[in-house]
Every structure is written in structure tokens, then in C-alpha cells.
Amino acid sequence: MQSSGQEMKSADNKQQDILSVLLVEDDEDDYLLTLDLFDEAYGKQYSLTWSRDPDDAMVQLDASQFDICLVDYRLGSKTGLDLIKLIHKDGFSKIPTILLTGLDSHDLDLQATNAGATDYLVKNQLKAEILERSIRYSLHQWEAESRVRHMAFHDPLTEIANRSLFAKYLERSINMARRHHEYTALLFIDLDNFKSVNDSLGHSVGDQLIVEISQRLLENIRDEDIVSRFGGDEFALLISRLDTNKQLAHEQANHLTEKIRKVVGQSMNISGNELRIGCSIGVTLFNNEITCAETLLKQADMAMYKAKNDGKNAVRFFESEMEDLVKTNYWVEQELHEAIEKDQLELYYQPIVRISDEKITGVEALIRWHHPERGLIMPNQFIPTAENSNFVCQIGKKVIHDACHFISNSPELELININISPRHFENKSFVDDLIGCLEETGVSAEKLVIEITESLVLKNARVAREKMDSLRAMGLRFALDDFGTGYSSLSILKDLPFNYLKIDGSFINELASNNSSGAITEAIMRMSEALGMQVIAECVENAEQLEFLKLHNCEFAQGYFFSEALPADKIKDLL
């Protein structure tokens, strides 16, 4: 007899009809009797693992796959009912369990069923044929129940785990981390701008995209990892058995997460549509220190929203500072409604200068929030939150309205640039809002320049092109904002009808300190000239930068060297 309290009796395990059994029994005599019954019932067509106590049984279930588990009622200080409840609570819900007892009790029978056991056998009544019939019944019953459970715990579109099943897997992972002290990574994945796919191409295409993404996730995780669809365009993953060292676990999780982000971002053809969609991923690591599933889910969610706020298509790990960001987002969302209603939002205007004669020919309209208690709030503090709600469309309407009124009363200006968020641009009312303001104010469409970012047009270049072409036919112009910070800039310039290209301020800031920035800026201007576009340089702060731009024939510039953004009454003095 082995000191570990485990013994294996096995036949040829290569055969498919081998029954794999875990017997949890603390009495050796009862173990031997049960072994004889299995010999009589199954001959050599079974393998049996004997475990003496509940803790060892959980280790066995964690390490191996069994067809069925037989559990004795008396297990020292614990009962078999306790173990059966633990087995099902801990996520091992795919294995049927039979309770063995010396008591013939109807109440105990009911307790066994309520605990999750598929059958109840009295030892002194046990015969080989009764054992075989009970196991056959349990396996058949479990298969039928498994089909029902599959429907209850799997997403009907993708067939992967749903939120309810993932919650069970998360609880299991927490327990495993507590036992083994290994780190596990919880990932929240949100597809960037998925709504635009549904709105522009229909829900059928959107569903096919979700299925494709789920398959990519399944194909790029390890066997021990779990992927789930939380609903809509949200997925969750559990990456388990990472290192016990947090830094090494962080590196392992980051490597796998970046791989997932890149795989999701690869182009796909769905119903003849060439699509590419990014994703924002939030990650939190845990071992035996955190045992609350709700806390972990909140942390991963916070990290995901940080990735969204940082520009999307990114990975962010949870940090305690993110809780402050969540609080900020909360009050911003709560108070933006009042800000819009009480007209606390105001446009400021930054001059755009023609470099050749340093004359102000246009302005860029920039939103500010005059909060009654917090003072002047810059757009980077509230626009990211607004982007995740319908507030951004309301703000966009105000920007268009106020900008049109401003330019109608500023005949000395040739152009006014307005920033349009992706969500507003994709909104069905956007074109009507724009046309309505132009008709109301009598402003010529040629005076408006719509600034959009690479991330907006990358989602669906065909739909963006159609909308841009219809607006350009009216006379509106388009500027590609923050050029150089994305990853498909050249294809955008070639395929979409932009009039202006705005060089990202990071390149201008580094002209004096980084030779590469100067070379890139020069190359951008030459390329723009070849494509028939004019260049606007952002964030010009000194004469040396202006001289560089003038030397390389850059047409326009804006920045603190000329003026900061000013309210309407003060910008009039400059004009």
C-alpha cells in the first residue's frame, strides 16, 4: 500500500471504452471491496484512482480527467456531501458524482441530489450489476443535463462560454491561485467601434465578425485558458498558471495579450467587406492575495476603459490610480448633462497662420467647459468620457452650431476647422446637423474644414469615403488630424479625399532634439505636396520651428508661438 494514499488499477488506457474513475474512500477495506465490484462489472475496461481524503481528491480532479467520481459519505472530519458541493462549486461541473454510504436514508438521498450527486448507493446493498447500472445511469443523465447546461452556459452565437459560466471559471481560478500561489490574468476585451459595423453594414455582418473574432481568440490561447463572450462586442479571458513571481507573470501575460490584440486587428473579409477592427484590452493579475471575483472584474474593466481613453487598440494593466479615473469619469458623466443644458460649454479659437506672410487665415474651434466649481476644464478631461456616451453627439452639434455662427460674423477669416468625434461622424444625423447649421447661418460650405482622425476612417474606409465624398460635393473640406501617430496613414492618404494634413505636434516638438523627427516632417511635407494636399503644422512654439517649416514649404501653422486658444471676443482683437 502506497503511503500517499493513492493506488491505480488500470487496463489498456489507449482504448476508447476505458472508464476512468476517481474513488474517494478513507477506509481501505471498503476500497478493496469496491475494487472487486469494478473487476466484476468492467473486467479490465476501467482505470481507478483511489484518494483517501477530500483535499487530495481536489488535487486529483485538478490534475486529471475522470469520467465519474464515487465519494464515500464518511471522510474523517468532512462528509462526502461537503466534497460533492465543493466539486461543483469549484467549477468541476463536467463530472458526475455518486455518493456511497452505509446508511439507507431517504433524507440523505435527497441531500445527495441537492448537493449535485447523480445517484446514491448503499454499500451493504451494492452488487456489481447495481454499480454498473448506477454508473451507466449517471453518465446518461449527466450527458442529457450537459446538453441543457451547455445551452444555459454558452453563448448561442459563438458557442463559447457566456458570462454565467465564466463566473464559475473565475471562482475556480481564484481557488486554484489560492492553492498553487501562481498568478492568473483576467482580460477584458472590447472591440473598438463595433457599433459602426452594425450601423453601416447590418447586424448579420456584425454577427459574422463576432464569430470570427471568437474563433481567433480560441485559436490563439492555450488549452488551459478560458475565453468567454460577455455580450455585444465584449469578451473576457482567463490566462492561468503564470509564474509565481509577479514581474515574470506580468511579462508572460503581456506577451499573450499583445498577441491577442494583433490577431484581432488583422483584416478579415466578411460578406465581401474587407474589415479591420481593433480592440482595447484591460488586464488584472491575481494570485492568493485577492479572492473577490467582483473586485477582479471591476479592475479589468477599469483597465479596459483606460485603454479606450488612451486612444483605443491598446493593452493596459490595472493600476490603483485607475480607481481615481473611474471616479472622475463618474462625475463627468453625471455633470455633463447639466453642462449642456446650462450652456457651460464654450468654444475657444486658436489662429491658423499662413506661414508665407504670417497672416491669420483661419481658426480651429476647441471646446472648453466652464464648470461652476471646478473652473475651466480642458477637453482631454471630459471628451473621452463623452465619447462613450451620446453626450459626444450633443457636444458635436453645439460645436458645429457655434462655429458656424462665429465664422458667419468673421468675414476676415477664410476657414474654420472643427473637430468631429468618430461617434458623431458615424451618427446618421451628422450630415443633416451640418447642413441645417449651414442653412441657418448662411455660411458657405467652403469655409468649413472637418478634422477627423486616422482611427475614425480605419474602422471602415469605404463608408467613410462615401460620407466624405457627399460632403465634399457640397464644398466642405477635410483635414486628417494627428498624422503620423497611426499605422495605416499612407493608405488613408491615397484612398480618401483629404484637403489638408495636420502633422502631429510630437514631431514639431522634437525638431531641434531629434533628427528623425525632422526627417519625417520633411518627408510628410514632400509627400503631401505630391498628393495635392496642404500641410498644417500643430504645436509651433518658437521661431526655429517656424523657420524649419518655412524652409520646407509648409503652408500653415498653429501653436503658442502665434497664440493660445482664446474665447470669441478676445480672438476678434487678433483678427
Side-chain angles (χ1 to χ4, degrees):
M1 191 64 58
Q2 298 178 358
S3 60
S4 63
Q6 302 171 26
E7 185 171 317
M8 176 75 78
K9 180 175 177 85
S10 62
D12 183 4
N13 284 310
K14 295 181 180 179
Q15 297 185 35
Q16 293 184 353
D17 56 354
I18 292 293
L19 179 72
S20 179
V21 182
L22 175 65
L23 174 63
V24 188
E25 171 65 73
D26 64 347
D27 186 280
E28 184 176 348
D29 290 336
D30 284 349
Y31 156 68
L32 293 172
L33 288 172
T34 306
L35 203 59
D36 289 340
L37 291 172
F38 269 97
D39 282 341
E40 184 179 347
Y42 293 96
K44 295 183 178 181
Q45 302 305 305
Y46 77 97
S47 67
L48 188 146
T49 300
W50 176 32
S51 179
R52 287 180 179 272
D53 63 79
D55 292 338
D56 179 71
M58 295 305 295
V59 172
Q60 293 295 328
L61 285 168
D62 190 10
S64 304
Q65 293 287 331
F66 296 96
D67 295 316
I68 195 160
C69 179
L70 278 65
V71 181
D72 184 30
Y73 178 65
R74 298 293 183 187
L75 294 172
S77 61
K78 296 182 180 179
T79 70
L81 293 177
D82 295 328
L83 178 58
I84 291 172
K85 290 176 182 178
L86 185 60
I87 287 173
H88 293 285
K89 179 182 179 181
D90 205 28
F92 300 100
S93 56
K94 294 183 179 179
I95 181 171
T97 52
I98 297 174
L99 183 70
L100 302 176
T101 178
L103 302 174
D104 187 1
S105 166
H106 179 67
D107 288 342
L108 187 56
D109 189 357
L110 291 176
Q111 291 178 50
T113 302
N114 292 334
T118 51
D119 205 357
Y120 165 90
L121 295 176
V122 180
K123 290 181 180 181
N124 59 17
Q125 300 174 4
L126 197 55
K127 298 179 180 179
E129 59 269 23
I130 295 175
L131 175 66
E132 188 277 333
R133 185 172 64 248
S134 176
I135 291 176
R136 179 160 37 87
Y137 165 79
S138 294
L139 293 174
H140 177 77
Q141 180 71 14
W142 199 258
E143 183 180 351
E145 292 176 0
S146 293
R147 288 194 292 269
V148 175
R149 282 197 302 273
H150 183 86
M151 295 173 63
F153 291 114
H154 288 79
D155 175 57
L157 177 63
T158 64
E159 291 295 317
I160 62 177
N162 63 12
R163 183 190 294 259
S164 297
L165 181 56
F166 188 82
K168 294 179 179 290
Y169 279 125
L170 179 55
E171 290 290 348
R172 174 184 175 182
S173 294
I174 290 171
N175 290 328
M176 289 176 62
R178 186 187 299 120
R179 289 198 298 270
H180 303 299
H181 306 288
E182 295 171 328
Y183 276 93
T184 296
L186 169 61
L187 280 61
F188 257 16
I189 302 175
D190 186 89
L191 301 184
D192 296 331
N193 308 305
F194 173 74
K195 184 176 182 296
S196 65
V197 176
N198 271 342
D199 290 345
S200 58
L201 300 177
H203 288 274
S204 176
V205 171
D207 286 349
Q208 292 177 63
L209 186 148
I210 290 293
V211 172
E212 172 65 23
I213 294 299
S214 68
Q215 288 302 309
R216 291 184 181 189
L217 294 174
L218 287 171
E219 291 167 2
N220 287 275
I221 61 173
R222 304 165 304 169
D223 291 341
E224 61 265 36
D225 299 332
I226 302 298
V227 60
S228 164
R229 184 185 180 205
F230 259 42
D233 60 348
E234 291 184 336
F235 296 85
L237 271 74
L238 279 170
I239 300 176
S240 59
R241 297 187 176 178
L242 301 174
D243 204 275
T244 55
N245 177 278
K246 188 172 185 177
Q247 181 60 39
L248 292 177
H250 186 286
E251 293 173 4
Q252 292 169 338
N254 187 62
H255 173 75
L256 290 168
T257 305
E258 281 293 345
K259 177 185 175 183
I260 288 169
R261 184 186 66 81
K262 291 174 183 177
V263 165
V264 169
Q266 292 173 358
S267 64
M268 64 192 84
N269 189 291
I270 297 180
S271 299
N273 299 284
E274 196 69 24
L275 301 176
R276 176 179 290 176
I277 193 163
C279 64
S280 300
I281 306 179
V283 188
T284 188
L285 291 172
F286 65 93
N287 60 358
N288 59 327
E289 297 174 357
I290 298 179
T291 58
C292 177
E294 184 178 356
T295 297
L296 294 171
L297 291 168
K298 285 181 179 178
Q299 290 179 355
D301 193 46
M302 289 179 200
M304 184 272 288
Y305 275 105
K306 181 67 167 66
K308 288 280 189 190
N309 292 336
D310 286 351
K312 302 181 180 179
N313 195 37
V315 174
R316 293 293 181 269
F317 280 73
F318 172 77
E319 298 172 355
S320 56
E321 294 81 3
M322 291 179 184
E323 292 179 310
D324 295 331
L325 176 63
V326 170
K327 292 176 182 176
T328 298
N329 288 340
Y330 177 78
W331 74 255
V332 167
E333 190 169 338
Q334 294 298 309
E335 298 184 29
L336 259 180
H337 180 74
E338 184 177 348
I340 294 169
E341 276 193 345
K342 295 188 176 180
D343 204 25
Q344 295 172 2
L345 302 177
E346 179 186 3
L347 286 189
Y348 278 41
Y349 303 90
Q350 185 172 44
I352 297 175
V353 173
R354 184 167 56 214
I355 292 178
S356 60
D357 57 6
E358 297 190 24
K359 179 184 177 183
I360 298 175
T361 58
V363 292
E364 178 180 358
L366 299 164
I367 195 76
R368 301 289 188 265
W369 180 359
H370 289 284
H371 194 282
E373 298 174 2
R374 303 174 190 269
L376 187 66
I377 301 176
M378 303 302 282
N380 64 328
Q381 295 177 272
F382 64 91
I383 290 298
T385 302
E387 280 279 9
N388 294 317
S389 68
N390 286 326
F391 286 134
V392 77
C393 294
Q394 294 176 262
I395 293 171
K397 289 179 183 179
K398 175 180 175 58
V399 169
I400 293 171
H401 177 272
D402 290 3
C404 285
H405 276 276
F406 179 81
I407 193 73
S408 69
N409 294 313
S410 306
E412 62 271 39
L413 290 176
E414 297 175 12
L415 300 168
I416 186 166
N417 291 30
I418 57 176
N419 293 276
I420 298 299
S421 75
R423 189 163 186 154
H424 192 196
F425 185 83
E426 294 159 2
N427 193 285
K428 294 178 181 178
S429 69
F430 170 67
V431 174
D432 292 337
D433 293 341
L434 205 52
I435 294 173
C437 279
L438 291 174
E439 292 176 347
E440 176 189 335
T441 57
V443 172
S444 170
E446 286 84 358
K447 287 203 166 191
L448 258 64
V449 178
I450 305 296
E451 293 193 13
I452 56 179
T453 60
E454 294 178 69
S455 61
L456 185 154
V457 292
L458 277 174
K459 290 178 295 183
N460 194 317
R462 181 182 63 81
V463 174
R465 171 92 197 208
E466 290 174 358
K467 187 167 286 190
M468 291 173 70
D469 282 342
S470 66
L471 292 172
R472 276 198 55 164
M474 296 166 48
L476 273 84
R477 309 181 203 190
F478 285 88
L480 180 60
D481 198 11
D482 298 332
F483 181 80
T485 59
Y487 57 90
S488 297
S489 302
L490 296 180
S491 63
I492 289 175
L493 292 179
K494 178 174 66 70
D495 296 335
L496 295 173
F498 287 102
N499 306 88
Y500 300 93
L501 185 153
K502 298 191 77 173
I503 302 177
D504 185 67
S506 61
F507 293 108
I508 306 302
N509 289 335
E510 296 178 356
L511 285 177
S513 60
N514 189 322
N515 291 334
S516 296
S517 292
I520 293 171
T521 302
E522 184 180 351
I524 290 172
M525 288 187 285
R526 286 201 305 268
M527 180 181 60
S528 300
E529 183 179 5
L531 292 171
M533 299 179 192
Q534 294 182 303
V535 174
I536 304 173
E538 298 181 291
C539 301
V540 177
E541 296 183 353
N542 56 57
E544 290 77 12
Q545 293 169 348
L546 180 62
E547 189 61 32
F548 177 92
L549 296 169
K550 186 180 296 184
L551 180 65
H552 294 93
N553 300 315
C554 179
E555 289 89 354
F556 300 98
Q558 64 185 104
Y560 279 16
F561 182 70
F562 306 106
S563 172
E564 63 181 334
L566 298 169
D569 56 343
K570 293 187 178 179
I571 196 72
K572 285 287 188 179
D573 295 337
L574 288 181
L575 302 180

